[in-house]
Amino acid sequence: MSSVLGVSVGAGTVRLARPQHGGPHGFVPPYTFEVQTLAMPEQRAEEAAADAIAAMLAAAPEVGATTITFRSDPQARAIRAAMARRQLTNYQLVPEAVAAVHFAHATTDMREVSTLAVYDLGSSGLTVSVVNARTSDVYQCERISDISGDYLDSLVREQQIASGRIAHPADPAGLAALDALCRAAKEQLSNSNAVAMPSEQGLVLLTQENFEALMMLAIESSARMTRDAIIRSQHPVQAVLVLGGGARIPLIARVLERTIGVPVIVPAEPETALARGAALLARPAQVPQAPAAPTILPLDDEADVTPAWLTAPARRRPLAALTSRSGQNRREVSAAALTVSSLVVVAGIGLGLGYGPEVLERGNSTDGSQAVPATTSPRPTQAAPTSAAPTSEAVHATVAAPPVRQLDNEPTTSAPPSQGPNTFTVVPGLPPVVLPTLPPVVLPGFPPAGQ
């Protein structure tokens, strides 16, 4: 069964979390994780994280996916470079706020929370993020270094040295050991009212009242910074999620709730919440299966090979529209051609009868009267005009129906045929009908008629 790996990269700590029972899909809340914490200098955090991931993948080949959180874009680039140098590719990077919101959904009832503020107090600084609790969109993210876990530890150390119970360490190693002792005493105050821890330099004695007096100003300042970041995001929040090692201080939750006025969520083991949220976001890569071979159907004359998504009306509609349009275009072209041909025939007949020049001359007149050039001699086949020039209406009438012109040698009326033996009048008032005279028919072997 494949597993997943979540990694959070802090300033001086790298945490690796593996869900039990094969991954986030194989168990139900409360989730259980196998967490590994590695401490290293801040300058090598990204390199140490890549080394730890490579060692984990070599020891556990069943890990199918890795998710790494990052705080800023420069840190994300440094993580990518470190992973590339080790030729590690099967991983994804997510912002710390996204992993925090996902972890909150997995461990807390978030149905009434649409916008969440994440207060992450680590050893090197405070990160405040305003995130959409449903889409994981980050509205605002600010990093504050004025308050940090190291700064709070230094306040406890200086207070112990100032009280005279602890001697000041002589070397940096002793100073680091005293800081670790003060940090442990600070964390134990979350479950008790007083802590007494011996050391080589003396006894570290810390009470809840003294500790809150030391931390109050710094914590109230961080709460005001968180409120200002929420105001700048222009998205009101319904809850505040407190993460990091500083979340173990009970005073922080009380001050945040009093300053912002919304519920404060503090998960168990808040310093590992980002690594566990990253593990919940990791998804093993799915190997795509080869697509099934398409079924080949035999083609025949009656088979319809049109795709099923192309319906019958959709197939016919463009073709019918195209046919109707083409037929209409052909009819329009045919009518236009017939009209032009008719005009050409009429013009040819008019020119053949000798009316073309007159029509052209009349059409060129601008005042509506007939213009006859002085040098034009009368046509031998036309009679001399006996009336005045026609008006424009007469010109149009002439063009529409030209008068019948007769030659001088043609008779005006035809004489009726003279009555003869073969002339018959069929209808009174109409010309008689003349039947032709047929020659006699002579049959062979018979004498002609009259002999």
Side-chain angles (χ1 to χ4, degrees):
M1 181 179 295
S2 63
S3 180
V4 294
L5 179 65
V7 182
S8 65
V9 183
T13 305
V14 175
R15 292 182 173 89
L16 294 84
R18 289 182 59 191
Q20 300 298 314
H21 308 294
H25 303 289
F27 54 90
V28 294
Y31 299 105
T32 57
F33 293 84
E34 177 186 348
V35 181
Q36 182 179 358
T37 302
L38 303 175
M40 74 286 299
E42 183 177 355
Q43 294 78 10
R44 296 192 66 256
E46 293 78 13
E47 297 292 335
D51 290 337
I53 293 172
M56 178 64 71
L57 295 179
E62 68 274 10
V63 175
T66 302
T67 299
I68 310 171
T69 64
F70 67 91
R71 184 172 55 250
S72 60
D73 290 339
Q75 188 185 40
R77 289 192 294 268
I79 294 173
R80 289 193 188 97
M83 297 290 284
R85 282 190 288 270
R86 291 155 183 81
Q87 299 181 356
L88 300 175
T89 57
N90 188 19
Y91 70 94
Q92 64 174 341
L93 292 173
V94 298
E96 291 180 346
V98 175
V101 170
H102 200 75
F103 178 78
H105 276 286
T107 57
T108 309
D109 185 5
M110 299 282 291
R111 288 176 294 181
E112 297 182 358
V113 179
S114 60
T115 306
L116 181 69
V118 181
Y119 178 101
D120 185 4
L121 181 59
S123 61
S124 62
L126 170 66
T127 302
V128 177
S129 305
V130 182
V131 193
N132 188 316
R134 293 169 184 163
T135 64
S136 297
D137 294 335
V138 180
Y139 297 136
Q140 189 82 6
C141 184
E142 298 182 6
R143 178 74 174 177
I144 304 168
S145 58
D146 294 340
I147 179 174
S148 63
D150 293 342
Y151 173 72
L152 298 181
D153 295 341
S154 66
L155 292 180
V156 176
R157 181 194 64 203
E158 296 301 326
Q159 188 267 345
Q160 294 294 319
I161 295 175
S163 64
R165 291 189 295 269
I166 297 293
H168 196 284
D171 53 3
L175 187 61
L178 180 59
D179 288 341
L181 188 63
C182 294
R183 185 180 305 111
K186 177 190 66 178
E187 293 174 355
Q188 290 185 11
L189 282 179
S190 59
N191 300 322
S192 60
N193 293 327
V195 176
M197 302 184 65
S199 66
E200 296 180 358
Q201 290 83 11
L203 180 64
V204 175
L205 181 61
L206 187 64
T207 64
Q208 188 73 37
E209 183 178 359
N210 292 337
F211 178 76
E212 290 183 357
L214 291 173
M215 304 290 113
M216 183 59 69
L217 292 178
I219 292 175
E220 287 181 344
S221 177
S222 68
R224 289 191 296 269
M225 293 177 184
T226 303
R227 182 188 57 193
D228 295 342
I230 295 172
I231 295 174
R232 282 190 290 270
S233 70
Q234 299 181 357
H235 289 83
V237 300
Q238 290 76 43
V240 178
L241 178 65
V242 183
L243 302 178
R248 291 183 176 272
I249 303 175
L251 181 62
I252 291 180
R254 295 199 304 268
V255 173
L256 287 173
E257 186 172 0
R258 184 175 65 247
T259 304
I260 302 176
V262 296
V264 176
I265 304 171
V266 181
E269 300 181 2
E271 63 275 1
T272 64
L274 293 180
R276 290 184 286 170
L280 295 175
L281 285 171
R283 296 292 184 271
Q286 299 294 333
V287 179
Q289 298 180 357
T295 304
I296 301 176
L297 299 177
L299 298 179
D300 52 353
D301 296 338
E302 297 181 358
D304 185 9
V305 296
T306 305
W309 55 267
L310 189 58
T311 60
R315 294 197 303 269
R316 290 194 296 268
R317 189 176 300 109
L319 183 59
L322 181 60
T323 304
S324 174
R325 186 178 181 85
S326 299
Q328 183 179 0
N329 292 341
R330 286 197 294 271
R331 287 196 297 271
E332 293 175 357
V333 172
S334 301
L338 181 59
T339 303
V340 174
S341 302
S342 301
L343 294 177
V344 171
V345 172
V346 172
I349 293 174
L351 292 175
L353 294 176
Y355 298 105
E358 292 184 3
V359 173
L360 295 176
E361 290 173 0
R362 291 192 182 100
N364 291 332
S365 62
T366 59
D367 57 353
S369 63
Q370 182 180 3
V372 180
T375 58
T376 304
S377 59
R379 296 172 60 90
T381 58
Q382 296 179 355
T386 58
S387 60
T391 62
S392 59
E393 296 179 356
V395 172
H396 292 300
T398 304
V399 174
V404 179
R405 304 212 178 240
Q406 298 179 352
L407 299 177
D408 295 340
N409 54 2
E410 290 184 356
T412 57
T413 59
S414 59
S418 60
Q419 294 290 333
N422 297 332
T423 303
F424 300 93
T425 301
V426 180
V427 180
L430 295 179
V433 178
V434 181
L435 299 178
T437 304
L438 299 178
V441 179
V442 179
L443 299 176
F446 295 90
Q451 294 182 2

